[in-house]
Amino acid sequence: MNLKKAALGALAIAAVAGFPLASGNPYYIHLVETIMIYAIVLFGLDIVVGYTGQVSLGHAGLFGIGAYTAGVLILKIDAPVYLTLPAAIAVTAVFGAMLALPALRVTGPYLAMVTLAFGTIIQILINEMTFLTEGPMGITLTKPELFGHQLDETEYYWLVMVCLIASLAFVHRLLHSQLGRAFEALRGSPVASDCMGVSVYRYKVYAFVISAALAGLAGSLYAYSEQYISPNTYNFELTVMFLLAIIMGGRKTRTGALLGAAIIVMLPKLLDDLEVFRVGAIVLAFIVAVSVAVAMKRGKMNGQVAAIPVIGTLALAGVSFKLETMTDWRLSIFGLITLFVVYYLQDGIVGFVRQALNLKVRTERDTTGAAAAALTRANSQGEQELLKASGVLMQFGGLKALNNVDLVVQRGSIHGLIGPNGSGKSTMMNVLTGIYQPTAGSVVFAGRAVNGRTSSDIALSGIARTFQNVQLFGEMTALQNVLVGLHHSFKSNLLDVALHLPRYKREDREQRARAHALLDFVGLGDLAGEEARNLPYGKQRLLEIARALALDPQLLLLDEPAAGLTAPDIKELLEIIRKIRDAGVTVILIEHHMDVVMTLCDRVSVLDFGQKIAEGLPAEVRADEKVIEAYLGGQAS
Ligand code: ADP
Ligand code: MG
């Protein structure tokens, strides 16, 4: 961390810590305290929504479980705070796991429904289990004691602040570790995540449980803060508010979560007071106008796009002076703001300002050990046959995309797989990597059956691949993409990550160096900090190769790596593929450029309408009658 950042952080902490002393107004102290508590929930919710890209409508329920764990423990056994907080975290995490394990088998609207049902059930349970929770009556409690000292309002505020800072540090470290990259990757491309050995399902559940634990902590803090809890608080409206806060503040940023928390706490108050609302609207219009002006000046935004937020906020400010009473309009304005954000500020307020000011995430290059060999797999000994597929049938309805195909790939070779469009080449790759389960037939890789295993398991056993339609983690940098491929070589756990223990630090340093070496290997060394989606198409293909190599595979499947590449790029690619083979990695190459196939491949198999029509040395195959016929009028080049 650099000095400026540290100083800024210290200043922010001092300001927040000093606020109760400066203000002295219990109402405002409580308001800021609530913002901090909500922010803890939102840090967690953002992991699920912002990073893994799942929807949760169950977080108010989880928040309630945290509050009630603390409440019930105090009611029944008069538990002290150093018991209630950890208990709330643990209990809520367990509930989170119970929700996540079945729920995360589904996605999209179904997931929303399941989590919504969970939230509702929790609320009903709290209401009905009177023997434990006192039901609708609620539980009254007092501020906690710490080391025999009864905390007053201000001291409790500081306790919340400490929890907020700890949560912030924890989440920040988590998201910058291999775990955070796994979360982000599965949003970017679930298929690619699985094929990089990062089990999508497992990491979704993991993210959800961590998120629940944070909601639990926040819930227990909330119980002490309000000194009264009742079932009605943890309702659907609160869940929607949480989601809204993430969307408005901006996903994937801690600042966004803090801002979002401030908005959902303050906005209802703002909308209650016309004067304050007018000031708020003017300030907002001003901020938006300045950001847009800066963005336009830097050529980051064109006039048409920029006009909408400016006009929107100006209109809001104008309307605020027309309004006589606010109460009637409260909900409509709230709804309008939401719509506005969803349509025009998709990265939230923080995302918008960042883009406008052109703030970029910098990746610092750590060169120690960068010389480490990019490819570490030594020439493996052992049997000559690395892969053997026998009688593979892949049926989609009536279509036999693969019809009784046999394929044997020798260790250390480059095996070409060619055929006209739609002949089943990509389907074969998907069968080999577990994306499709073949209707019949078997695949054996390095002496082990592939059938019936998950993609991530197959990937970890040594098969890496690229995709015909590039599947990168678009919002992540080139370096981070490769680091996801290196996920398998991280051994440190959540504790190592949270506390930055030496094991994690060493591992992180080593793997970053390896990732840089791999980028250098494919000639992308200078683009390490660039977001994958911003790379030119040809470079994206090379990045996919680097990411696949990070898996340290025995077998690399390349699905039309030269597609869309310029002639000089193709030459470079040839060189790279040769080097990969020389490092001892076996390659299956699907390619349309015949010259590439002819110069590179040791053996070639030809598919046509799902059947293998020829196989042999490149020259033999090219002279084959059936092959010529299959390609006649095709795209042979
Ligand atoms: P190639 O990569 O050789 O161009 P593919 O393997 O992509 O061909 O496709 C082979 C055939 O299988 C095509 O007719 C394609 O439409 C069909 N196919 C591939 N995947 C699916 C799927 N998931 N569902 C239905 N049909 C599919
Ligand atoms: Mg294909």
Side-chain angles (χ1 to χ4, degrees), residues 421-422 424-427 468 559-560 590 592:
N421 266 331
K425 307 181 296 292
S426 297
T427 304
Q468 183 175 357
D559 198 344
E560 302 200 16
I590 295 182
H592 269 311

Side-chain angles (χ1 to χ4, degrees), residues 181 363-376 478-480 482-484 486-487 489-490 504-522 524-526 528 546 549-550:
R181 284 191 294 270
T363 36
E364 283 141 36
R365 172 148 195 175
D366 184 347
T367 44
T368 38
L375 297 170
T376 52
L479 185 74
Q480 288 171 330
V482 179
L483 279 168
V484 174
L486 286 166
H487 187 87
S489 39
F490 281 85
Y504 168 72
K505 279 182 154 169
R506 177 171 41 80
E507 211 168 58
D508 191 56
R509 201 172 45 238
E510 285 169 5
Q511 299 309 331
R512 275 175 197 277
R514 259 179 91 187
H516 277 297
L518 282 163
L519 285 175
D520 287 339
F521 177 74
V522 298
L524 295 179
D526 298 335
L549 289 173

Side-chain angles (χ1 to χ4, degrees), residues 170-211:
F170 167 72
V171 171
H172 184 79
R173 288 179 167 188
L174 172 74
L175 291 171
H176 283 84
S177 73
Q178 77 277 15
L179 301 169
R181 284 191 294 270
F183 298 154
E184 216 177 336
L186 61 91
R187 177 193 174 109
S189 168
V191 176
S193 295
D194 268 328
C195 288
M196 289 300 118
V198 175
S199 162
V200 168
Y201 176 65
R202 177 172 339 143
Y203 280 94
K204 269 190 203 166
V205 172
Y206 208 168
F208 210 94
V209 170
I210 292 173
S211 177

Side-chain angles (χ1 to χ4, degrees), residues 69-81 83-84 87 132 139:
T69 305
V72 169
L73 280 175
I74 292 165
L75 183 72
K76 299 291 179 192
I77 62 166
D78 199 19
V81 67
L83 188 67
T84 52
L132 200 63
I139 299 175

